[in-house]
Amino acid sequence: MVAFGKKLKERQIQEWERYYINYKLMKKKVKQYAQQIEVGTQDRRHVLKDFSRMLDNQIETIVLFLLEQQGLFASRLARLREQHDALQEQPDISTITELREAYRSVGQDLLKLLFFVEINAIGLRKILKKFDKRFGYRFTDYYVKTRANHPYSQLQQVFKHVGLGAVVGAMSRNLHELQDRQGSYLSIYDQPALPLQDPVVDSIKAAVDRLTNSTNFLNFLGQHALIMQEELPTPTDELIDDQRYHFMSLILNLANTFLYMVNTYIIVPTADDYSMSLGAAATVCGIVIGAMAVAQVFSSVYFSAWSNKSYFKPLVFSSIVLFIGNAMYALAYDFNSIAILLLGRLFCGFGSARAVNRRYISDCVPLKIRMQASAGFVSASALGMACGPALAGLLQTNFKIYKLTFNQDTLPGWVMAVAWLIYLVWLSISFKEPSRDTEENHRPQESNAETVENDSLENGLKQPLLITSEEKQEDEDGDQEYDGSEEAPEESHQPATSVKSAYRLLTPSVKVQLLIYFMLKYVMEILLSESSVITTYYFSWSTSTVAIFLACLGLTVLPVNIVVGSYISNMFEDRQILMASEIMVLVGIVLSFNVIIPYSVPQYVCSGLILFVFAEVLEGVNLSLLSRVMSSRLSRGTYNGGLLSTEAGTIARVIADATITLAGYLGESKLLNVTLLPSLFICIASIIATSVTYNSLY
């Protein structure tokens, strides 16, 4: 990973030097504030007020310059429009060519301005993140929301590039009209999908795509996947992404995600019956369900490492192992062996390629559609979670073919074995392995056209954001300022190479959020895994009824994320949603206990719904926060942020399933309360940790 300071240096424009965010000053002020608070000469309220005022001034400088440049663009385009109109009366080939070049010149300058906006937006996010890290505040949420939602917001000019769209539209339309359209009188508005075939417009479109945010829902859902991205993508990165991207391969990647989630939850309604049919206790279903998670703890690591070299081979291996695992799960009935049953589930866990699924989206999907792909990853997971129990509810039959038994216990294994076999064939035919040498082939040398187009952007550029070599020093998160006079400190920006080094990169707030993630996964696994045993004991529910209940829970995932992503997140700060969700999860746990009054269906369903829905809300907000505050060094490599969160959730599921089995030795009558007690304590601990970590700002 190239050092952040070096990337910024390469993109400065000398004549605009005094209009960039003064990163050097802002960073010095952050350190100064820390020293003043430490010795007691400043209080936190004054620091927040002073830092907010300084940021407002910086943004105002950027925005006023941006408006000035937009006015100059408007004047240039107006003059070119007059020349264009004159051509309608007296067409001249040489004049048309000159006019097209003039419009392209406007496009090149517009591209410079878009890069100017992008660099400042990244710089603002960087300094806000540094402030939060240094003081443990959630200042970023407060600042962005109070400024962005104000009617006189200047922040919108930076993050939404307000007004530049009109300039892009005017230039694109006129270039389109000047092209040889073979007598066509149609404009870009008549045929919006018609390609313009102009490299300048293509470059502008790529820059606008990087700046344009997706809808709140897509952004929220995409962050739910915790697919981390580089801070400052380059045009070359976009070229590489486009060359590595293959639509059908992405669909196969999402299909793998969907099938794996179906595979995980399809056995939940029948696991207790299957265990009893093999001579074990009903509560052994916890071990049966959890065996898959146990193996996933290890498979996540080797799949993450394998994805450094290939995506196709891990997916093939995953499909084969899952086929074998499901076949063993189904055959355990006829062999009357609980050992084969557990081995089958272990094999299924060893085939978990979710680390590859995340990594493929992060590395091989172009930035302009990466958020949609991330949202697709979450949606596929949610759909699989709902379809698994629903499919189990439909497999209520009993017959034999030769010596093989097909019933509600074995059919989930047989169905998934066939599904993975079909998927393997589809994968072998349609998947395209991304080229690993694409980046190396393109970084050292660019095409002549690109070199000419970007000379004004990349040559002779200055560095207003960074301090000089005399002032170079190491800050709190291990990165160093870079002045160009010596080799950049690349080592401190390399990906983590071990679990230990990754753990060292976790700040206290990140650790708290991982604790929250552990808690919600533990609580959800307790609810889902023991549902069949609990409902059979208290309410005598059939397998179909349990399947319907679990499917209904799974179907709430997407609607809940739509509501939170589109509405709730715009009304409240993430910290507030986080705390409220934790409290509601605690309420759901408390309501689930069987005390005093007889346990009833309404109590179980309502408490389970509260617990599950707010755990989903909590997961979305928590991972959204994680994706923003986790170190950029965890965005790549084997030991990345996605792997750490997956491991935290998987370990929580393993412990939850083991808790169910161990609690079963006390009898089914005590199972519910005994398994809810750890959930209660962990939830209370996470609420206390959240309060201590995030309340310092408020």
Side-chain angles (χ1 to χ4, degrees):
M1 184 190 305
V2 180
F4 181 78
K6 186 177 180 181
K7 282 189 175 183
L8 287 175
K9 177 185 179 299
E10 290 173 350
R11 288 165 179 76
Q12 305 313 303
I13 300 171
Q14 184 174 3
E15 60 267 29
W16 294 353
E17 180 177 352
R18 61 194 180 98
Y19 301 109
Y20 286 96
I21 179 176
N22 194 331
Y23 191 81
K24 166 188 170 182
L25 174 64
M26 301 294 285
K27 188 169 181 180
K28 279 187 174 180
K29 289 296 290 185
V30 169
K31 294 179 180 179
Q32 188 180 46
Y33 290 145
Q35 294 169 355
Q36 290 173 343
I37 290 176
E38 187 176 351
V39 299
T41 58
Q42 287 283 11
D43 59 23
R44 295 188 176 188
R45 186 180 297 275
H46 182 271
V47 166
L48 293 176
K49 181 179 179 180
D50 191 53
F51 192 65
S52 298
R53 180 187 58 79
M54 187 179 302
L55 273 176
D56 290 339
N57 291 340
Q58 293 286 318
I59 292 170
E60 185 175 274
T61 300
I62 296 167
V63 169
L64 292 178
F65 174 74
L66 187 59
L67 292 173
E68 178 187 346
Q69 291 298 310
Q70 289 178 26
L72 295 175
F73 278 122
S75 299
R76 290 172 66 183
L77 288 171
R79 289 194 296 270
L80 291 176
R81 181 72 250 182
E82 292 175 1
Q83 298 176 36
H84 192 172
D85 291 339
L87 281 176
Q88 303 297 325
E89 300 176 1
Q90 295 180 339
D92 181 73
I93 297 298
S94 61
T95 306
I96 290 175
T97 302
E98 291 176 2
L99 194 56
R100 287 174 64 181
E101 290 304 316
Y103 274 115
R104 289 196 180 102
S105 176
V106 172
Q108 289 288 347
D109 291 339
L110 179 58
L111 197 56
K112 290 167 61 177
L113 190 62
L114 287 169
F115 284 143
F116 169 83
V117 176
E118 181 180 18
I119 289 172
N120 281 290
I122 295 294
L124 283 171
R125 286 199 292 268
K126 186 76 174 175
I127 197 65
L128 285 167
K129 182 178 178 181
K130 193 174 294 294
F131 188 89
D132 285 350
K133 273 188 172 183
R134 170 69 75 147
F135 298 103
Y137 292 168
R138 296 305 309 149
F139 176 74
T140 299
D141 287 345
Y142 157 76
Y143 186 82
V144 172
K145 290 196 174 186
T146 53
R147 268 59 177 179
N149 295 328
H150 196 276
Y152 303 137
S153 171
Q154 292 181 322
L155 197 62
Q156 290 282 8
Q157 292 275 353
V158 179
F159 283 99
K160 296 291 186 181
H161 50 90
V162 177
L164 290 179
V167 179
V168 175
M171 192 206 67
S172 301
R173 183 180 66 83
N174 283 283
L175 268 177
H176 178 88
E177 290 180 1
L178 290 169
Q179 277 188 340
D180 180 12
R181 306 308 303 174
Q182 296 181 346
S184 172
Y185 292 94
L186 297 177
S187 73
I188 60 173
Y189 305 112
D190 299 312
Q191 291 181 303
L194 196 65
L196 186 56
Q197 302 295 335
D198 195 292
V200 176
V201 176
D202 290 340
S203 298
I204 291 173
K205 185 176 183 301
V208 171
D209 284 338
R210 286 198 304 273
L211 276 171
T212 302
N213 291 324
S214 300
T215 64
N216 288 332
F217 169 57
L218 276 181
N219 187 57
F220 180 83
L221 203 60
Q223 288 176 328
H224 200 140
L226 199 63
I227 294 170
M228 302 183 68
Q229 301 174 9
E230 294 285 350
E231 283 266 20
L232 189 58
T234 66
T236 308
D237 292 333
E238 284 297 308
L239 175 64
I240 293 168
D241 279 344
D242 286 334
Q243 292 184 351
R244 301 181 75 187
Y245 173 61
H246 183 239
F247 176 73
M248 186 54 68
S249 299
L250 175 61
I251 295 300
L252 282 161
N253 190 66
L254 296 179
N256 183 280
T257 300
F258 169 76
L259 286 176
Y260 186 78
M261 292 303 290
V262 172
N263 211 146
T264 301
Y265 290 99
I266 194 173
I267 72 157
V268 172
T270 58
D272 58 334
D273 287 336
Y274 204 167
S275 300
M276 288 190 293
S277 68
L278 298 180
T283 52
V284 174
C285 70
I287 292 296
V288 174
I289 296 170
M292 197 167 176
V294 171
Q296 191 178 342
V297 172
F298 304 99
S299 67
S300 295
V301 177
Y302 66 71
F303 271 116
S304 182
W306 202 349
S307 64
N308 291 327
K309 299 180 179 179
S310 174
Y311 299 102
F312 176 68
K313 291 178 181 178
L315 291 177
V316 170
F317 177 79
S318 167
S319 304
I320 294 172
V321 171
L322 281 159
F323 169 76
I324 295 172
N326 282 289
M328 291 176 67
Y329 181 86
L331 288 170
Y333 188 91
D334 293 306
F335 282 96
N336 193 30
S337 172
I338 192 74
I340 294 178
L341 183 74
L342 293 173
L343 281 173
R345 287 296 286 178
L346 281 172
F347 264 74
C348 290
F350 285 126
S352 171
R354 286 177 69 80
V356 180
N357 301 147
R358 278 194 175 101
R359 187 73 177 273
Y360 183 86
I361 295 173
S362 175
D363 292 354
C364 303
V365 176
L367 183 62
K368 57 190 174 185
I369 62 168
R370 195 172 298 161
M371 190 59 72
Q372 290 92 323
S374 301
F377 175 85
V378 176
S379 301
S381 299
L383 189 60
M385 183 179 181
C387 287
L391 186 58
L394 298 175
L395 301 176
Q396 302 301 303
T397 187
N398 193 345
F399 61 93
K400 274 198 170 189
I401 299 179
Y402 298 107
K403 294 183 180 181
L404 298 179
T405 303
F406 296 86
N407 56 26
Q408 66 172 12
D409 297 331
T410 63
L411 274 172
W414 290 123
V415 168
M416 292 312 303
V418 172
W420 284 112
L421 188 61
I422 294 172
Y423 175 81
L424 179 60
V425 174
W426 183 22
L427 182 73
S428 303
I429 295 172
S430 302
F431 191 88
K432 180 181 177 183
E433 179 75 82
S435 174
R436 289 283 170 173
D437 59 355
T438 303
E439 184 170 352
E440 286 76 7
N441 288 342
H442 283 83
R443 284 199 183 280
Q445 55 183 5
E446 297 179 354
S447 67
N448 292 335
E450 286 180 326
T451 303
V452 172
E453 288 172 11
N454 292 316
D455 274 347
S456 61
L457 301 179
E458 297 182 343
N459 292 338
L461 303 181
K462 291 294 184 180
Q463 176 202 4
L465 306 192
L466 305 171
I467 61 178
T468 61
S469 57
E470 295 83 24
E471 299 168 306
K472 185 175 67 177
Q473 54 184 302
E474 191 170 324
D475 74 4
E476 70 277 8
D477 58 355
D479 63 332
Q480 290 183 323
E481 300 294 3
Y482 176 72
D483 68 334
S485 61
E486 55 187 71
E487 187 177 355
E490 300 279 350
E491 184 177 354
S492 65
H493 294 270
Q494 292 299 318
T497 56
S498 66
V499 174
K500 185 177 181 180
S501 63
Y503 182 80
R504 288 175 178 172
L505 296 174
L506 303 182
T507 62
S509 61
V510 172
K511 292 176 183 177
V512 169
Q513 284 158 217
L514 287 175
L515 171 63
I516 294 171
Y517 191 64
F518 176 92
M519 179 272 291
L520 66 90
K521 285 297 183 184
Y522 181 91
V523 169
M524 290 172 68
E525 188 72 8
I526 289 289
L527 171 67
L528 298 175
S529 295
E530 71 178 11
S531 59
S532 183
V533 179
I534 296 298
T535 55
T536 300
Y537 178 79
Y538 286 103
F539 318 127
S540 300
W541 279 8
S542 65
T543 299
S544 297
T545 307
V546 177
I548 292 171
F549 171 69
L550 294 176
C552 289
L553 287 181
L555 288 172
T556 64
V557 175
L558 286 181
V560 166
N561 280 307
I562 290 173
V563 172
V564 175
S566 299
Y567 303 104
I568 304 298
S569 62
N570 292 329
M571 299 167 62
F572 302 98
E573 297 177 16
D574 285 348
R575 173 194 160 277
Q576 294 172 320
I577 301 173
L578 194 76
M579 182 62 73
S581 300
E582 285 184 275
I583 292 172
M584 290 306 299
V585 168
L586 180 62
V587 170
I589 293 171
V590 172
L591 292 177
S592 298
F593 278 94
N594 178 24
V595 291
I596 306 175
I597 60 174
Y599 209 53
S600 63
V601 173
Q603 179 185 354
Y604 178 76
V605 171
C606 291
S607 61
L609 192 62
I610 291 171
L611 193 155
F612 187 85
V613 167
F614 283 98
E616 277 298 322
V617 174
L618 184 59
E619 181 175 6
V621 176
N622 188 55
L623 291 183
S624 175
L625 287 170
L626 262 178
S627 68
R628 287 181 299 189
V629 302
M630 194 172 278
S631 170
S632 59
R633 291 177 62 188
L634 295 174
S635 64
R636 297 281 179 176
T638 300
Y639 301 95
N640 53 64
L643 175 65
L644 293 180
S645 64
T646 299
E647 292 292 85
T650 303
I651 291 171
R653 290 171 51 207
V654 170
I655 296 174
D657 291 323
T659 302
I660 293 172
T661 300
L662 292 174
Y665 288 106
L666 300 176
E668 292 185 14
S669 61
K670 297 181 180 180
L671 177 66
L672 179 65
N673 289 345
V674 171
T675 53
L676 285 175
L677 279 174
S679 303
L680 181 67
F681 293 140
I682 297 172
C683 187
I684 292 173
S686 72
I687 292 174
I688 294 172
T690 303
S691 300
V692 171
T693 303
Y694 294 116
N695 278 355
S696 55
L697 178 60
Y698 302 92

